[in-house]
Each structure stands twice: as structure tokens, then as C-alpha cells.
Amino acid sequence: MSLTPRAAVPGVPGTGAPAASGAPASGKAASGAPEVQPRDFPTNRGGLCQKGWTSAAVLGAADRITTPLVRRSLLPGGDQPAAPTDPTAPTDGGRGAGPLVPVSWETALDLVASRLAALAAESGPETVAVFGGGGLTNEKAYALGKFARTVLRTPNIDYNGRFCMASAAAGMNRSFGVDRGLPFPLADLGGAQAVLLLGSNVAETMPPAVQHLAGARAAGGLVVVDPRRSATARLAEDPAAVGGAGAAEGVHLAPVPGTDLAVLLGLLHVVLAEGLADREYLEARTTGFDDVARSVAGWWPERVESVSGVPAAELRRVARLLAAAAPVHGGTGAYVLTGRGVEQSTQGTATVTAAINLALALGLPGRVGSGYGAITGQGNGQGGREHGQKADQLPGYRKIDDPAAREHVAAVWGVDPETLPGPGVPAVQLLRSLGALGPDGARAPGRPRALLVHGSNLVVSAPNAGGVIDRLRSLDLLVVCDFVPSETALLADVVLPVTQWAEEEGTMTSLEGRVIRRRAAVPAPGEARSELWIFAELARRLGAPETLAFPTDPAVVFDELARASAGGPADYSGLSHARLDADEAAGGPGLFWPVPARTARTARVSDAQVPPVTSASDTLPHPGTPRLFLDRFATPDGRARMVPVDHVGPSDDVRPDAPFYLVTGRVLQHYQSGAQTHRVAELEKLVAEPYVELHPVLGFRIGVPDGARVRLTSARGRVEATARWTDAVRPDTVFMPFHWSGVGSVNQVTTDATDPISGMPEFKVCAVDVSVVGAADRLGTLQKELST
């Protein structure tokens, strides 16, 4: 996607309402507004979804933050009236500190630096915490991790990717030795005879990607595992209903929520029991097969049916379909893909591991045209987790507790490795620890008392959100960098206005490991600044030595990132903005990490292990690595690890006081917490409010009419929305999207129980009660909303 530049950012830009198909209603932009133009790129081939077509509108949101804001009570003379121009003056966000008022950058940064320094002096560097985001550019994510560990010297940093890709990353690292969402180009899917897609509704979340499923659909080999008959499930179940002319009927499996792992164990059982495994591949390229084979022996299809509700005959059909597509049986290729629906679980890492075990048994990973991959959920979900904003990582996917990694990165940064903190804690644990006061209201020493938030809207997006809001309100200092007044920004003591996607230079990394340039197309409005500038200014105020540099030029930051990543699993050392620009200008295929600085002239570049270089005269620029594992896996012995796992079930299962499963997800028109998409009139008009999907049989049984106001209650809280009857959801299950705040914020009821390996919270399934909201209840809800 590209924008036609304009001279200035107007108040309210727009691009015209998108048509239902996702195409723009008009090719012309509103007067003065940038015009969105689709780019013919390998992943989307010129396609955009509705969010893409309307994305320029966010650049001119009417409530765009263009100047720093600080709570009035924190300023000298803070008892004076709020400035009349302050758009947030009517509320203090529940923090008892007065409204937010505009101030200069000097005032805001001086205040932040002085408060951070005072807290660290009083209680130690751990008293300051940092929370990043998967939407930050690679440069900003890298600089954030560097700032936290060298200037703040705190171990307390993590990011919202812990809510997104953590289980996939843990599973791939354990089995393959490296985590890249797709270890192959997305376009490779197009030649597959079969694709097993678990827990991902790509038809709504990534519509342009659906075209890469055409080959599997035509062969009747698209298998979608989802408790709902989502738009993606309908691609398999009834191709003609979604414009699938020429496609054959695939398979939709609708298991009981939280039982996807049992389904995978049953599929592997059938593959082994019917002699469909690739034994030669298993012998040559894996370890641990015998233990895994024993572990799935008890998961025969009829047992899986009793647990998951998926018919035994369908399990056998799918296992045979995948095996027929595998190269060992003469097929043209098969893929196993997972998404958040199966990964956001207390057994998410185990589920990913089971998916990898199935793929390995069929001989798929490391073969062109076949494999395992995880569908990334955020704009820079891949790059955002590679370069240091994750609790246990340094740039290049290095472990922070690895002495050699610490020494290498510290040398790039110009600091003593002994000064770098150790690993932090995952996001949910970090959020639980926040606040000068514990949950019981007593002062709790050692807890983080200040939090810096970058690129995340925790009030809406975190699990058990009510508890998170309480923790945020208990902080001594909350600083939020954002470009619109998100729900989290409105709780902050200080809000710093930052640049967004079309206003900044940098890079991002796609779900396939392709490093992509982001370019500024329009100037930033008002006094908005890049986080790179903010880090540099805060570092200076906090007394960082001159040898500890924080460049503000993204190209310079990238060059430093490349040096810091050198030799790591995600090696960017052979890349630069200039090389990426030149590759694009020449119509190149793009560059996929790892891209070491040089490679041997005669070496075959096919996997993550690059041969040693003997002399400069024998080297060439490394061409990148589109496909990992063709020769070996990124483990010490080059073999993939097969790891036994078992099904346990969700942490919050149904019971008499909460007899129904709740599953959550996205809708086509909105994204994440909705902080951006709710500010696009065309999208907001299409889906203006939250809703709850339930089966008509369930509605009749519990007395919830279609269109009624309905309440969902869990052990953590309650939410309200409009009921929608549909047979696309199981009769024991309700579905609610997560893009809204307030009484319609579904994460008020989701559980913050986490996967013991990845730290991923169990967003996707919990137990709820469902009831109709009466007139008195509606009045109480209205009064509560007005008061807050």
C-alpha cells in the first residue's frame, strides 16, 4: 500500500466508504487528503481489506493528539482551571489527579525524567516498567529495549506480542530452534494440495491472503478448525457461498472450544496407525519420534470425538487428506498453519507443538511447497519480537541470560555487560505486579511504580481488563505514547504525541520474515515526535553518558540494530535501508532474514546456518533466506525436536454457574482495541457496537431473543452487548469480538490464566453465564457509563 503525498495534514481526511468486497467505493481521495493506492506486493498482490482502503482517515482523526498532555495537578499551580482548548479536560481518568492539559515538550519530558529518577533512587531501577507493542517499527522496538536496559536499567519490559505470538514462538523455538512465523514465503501456499488451518479466520483478519489458499480449495484440501462457521470456515464448507467458483468442498471441523489439541493428537494417531508417516524423513531429520508415537497411542478417533465433538470419521478423513497431499505419498504439498484461536490458551505451546509434530510426521517442514507456520496477528508482530522488547530477549533473537549474547550486544551499545539487567517477566505477570499498592491496598515494596506504554492499549486489550485498570490506577506514574486518546492514554499522567505509520521512516518484518521498508508519506501534525527522539531526550535528561548513543535517524538506528543482531538467529547484519531500497527499486523479491553480512561465494544459501567465510575476496552479499530448514533445522544437531504433549483442557471450564463457552475474535472492519478503526467513519458505520453471537437453539432455551440486550458474566466481571442469533456458532458457545471498551469490553470477562511456557493468556475460551438485561439493569449501566 502507498499514499500519494500531500502538503499538510487536514483536520478530517477520508477516502470514501469501501465496497462490501473490500474495494474502494471511489478511486478519488477527499480534498487535501492522501489517496490510498494498493501496491502489487507478493503477499497481497494488490489487494487491500476495508481497513487498508480507509487507513488514511486515521491520519487526520479529529481528536489526534498533537501536543504533550500532563495532569494539571502535577504542574506548578496545578489548582488552576483547565485550559479551555483541552479536549480531555472533562475527566481525570479516575486517577484523582485532575484533567490532562497541554504543555511544552520541555515541561513534559522534564517531569517524566524527574519522576523516573526519583522513583529509581527511592526504590531501585526495577520500580520502572516498560510495555511495548507489536505495531512499532523494528527501529523503535529495538531502541525501546535498549533504552529500558541501558538507561532505566530495568528488567521489567515486555510487550503486547505476548498476547499474540508467544505460544507459536515458544513451540517453534522448542521444535525448530528458531521462530519465524512462516519459514517460507506466503505465496508458497498457492501450490499446496492441502492446508490445515487451525484457529485463524484469515478471510476476515487478512482477506488478501485468502487468494493463496486457491490451490488447496480447488483440490478440496482446505481444512478449517474453528468452533464457529466463520468466513474462513465457509471457504471450505460451502465454496459457492463465498464466490468460490471452481473450488471443491473442503472440511470444517467445529470442536468444543479448548479441545483443538485433542483434535491434533487424534490426527497424528491416525497418521501413525494407518502407516501414513514419512518414516525416512523422521529417521533422517527428527529426534523424539518414539516418545511422541507412544504419547498419542491413547488418542484414537473415537476418544477424540468424545472429548472434542468432532466425528471420528471426519478425523480419519482429514488425516488421509493431509497424507495424500504430502510429498512422501506423491502429493504436491501440504501445510499445517496455526493462529490465535488455538494459541491463546493455557495449552497454547502444547497445541503448537502438536501441530508441528503432525507436520513432521508427514515430512512437511523443510521441503519446498510444504511446511508448518503460524499466522502473525499484528502489523509488525514478527519484527516486534526479534529485537529486544520481549522480557527475555536481546536484539537478533538472542537470549538475555546468554553471556555471549550479553557481551556482543553490550559491545555494540558501548556499555559493560554486567550492567545489563537479567530476564524480566511475561506481560500478564508484569501487569499483575504494577502499582505502589498491592491488590489489598497495602504498600508493597519492590513492585513497579511507574509504567511507560508504547503502541499498546492495555485497558481494552489485556485479559481480565478490570484488574489491569486497577493496577494502572495504582501507579505513581503512567506515561503513554500514542497518537489518539486511547482508553489507556486517558488514564495516563503524561501523554506524549507520537508519529504513526505514514509519518515515519523505518522497517517492519512480515509474517514470512521479509524485511520491508516503511516510508514517510505525509508530515506529522503539530508537535508529534518519533519515539526515537523521545528516547534520546529522556536518555539525556536521565544522565546517560555520551558514549551511550540514541540516534534519531531511523537509518542509523537500523544500522546499529543490524550490528547488534549479527550472529543471532534473526541476523539482519547484511541489511540496511539503502540495500532494502535498492532491492525494491530493482524489482527484487525482497530480503528475508537471516541475512548475514557476507556469505561464501560458493555456498548454497538454504537455511539458517550460514557457512563460515574465509576471506573477503570469496564473499558476496548474502541474498537472504526465503525458506528455512531446507538442509537442516536451527538446532545444535540440525534435527527437529518432536516433543510429547497431552490435552488438559481450558483453565476456566464450564460449570453450573457458568454453563457456556465464550470465544472471542475479530471482525473484518475493526482492528485490535479499535483505537484507530473506531475513528474511521466508514468502518464505524458498518459495525458500530459490540455484539454477542449465539445459536437460536441456545437463545430459545435460555430466553434470549434475537436483538435483546444480553449480559455475559464470568468469575472476573461482566459485559453487555446486543444478541445476534446465528447458526454459525455451536449451541454450547457464544462469540463476542474484542474491539470495544466500556461495558462492551469483552476482556473484562476473559481469564488471565497463562500458558506455563509462553506466558500467553487464555483469551480465546472461558466459561460464562448468559442472561437478558432488564430495564432496571439498563438504567444502572447507563448511569455507570455517565459517571465514568
Side-chain angles (χ1 to χ4, degrees), residues 369-391:
S370 294
Y372 163 81
I375 306 297
T376 303
Q378 295 191 72
N380 198 28
Q382 180 65 54
R385 67 184 188 270
E386 294 171 0
H387 297 297
Q389 63 174 334
K390 204 172 178 181

Side-chain angles (χ1 to χ4, degrees), residues 564-579:
S565 73
D571 190 335
Y572 282 39
S573 62
L575 294 176
S576 65
H577 282 199
R579 185 177 180 193

Side-chain angles (χ1 to χ4, degrees), residues 206-218:
M206 300 171 61
V210 168
Q211 61 193 305
H212 299 294
L213 302 175
R217 291 180 65 201

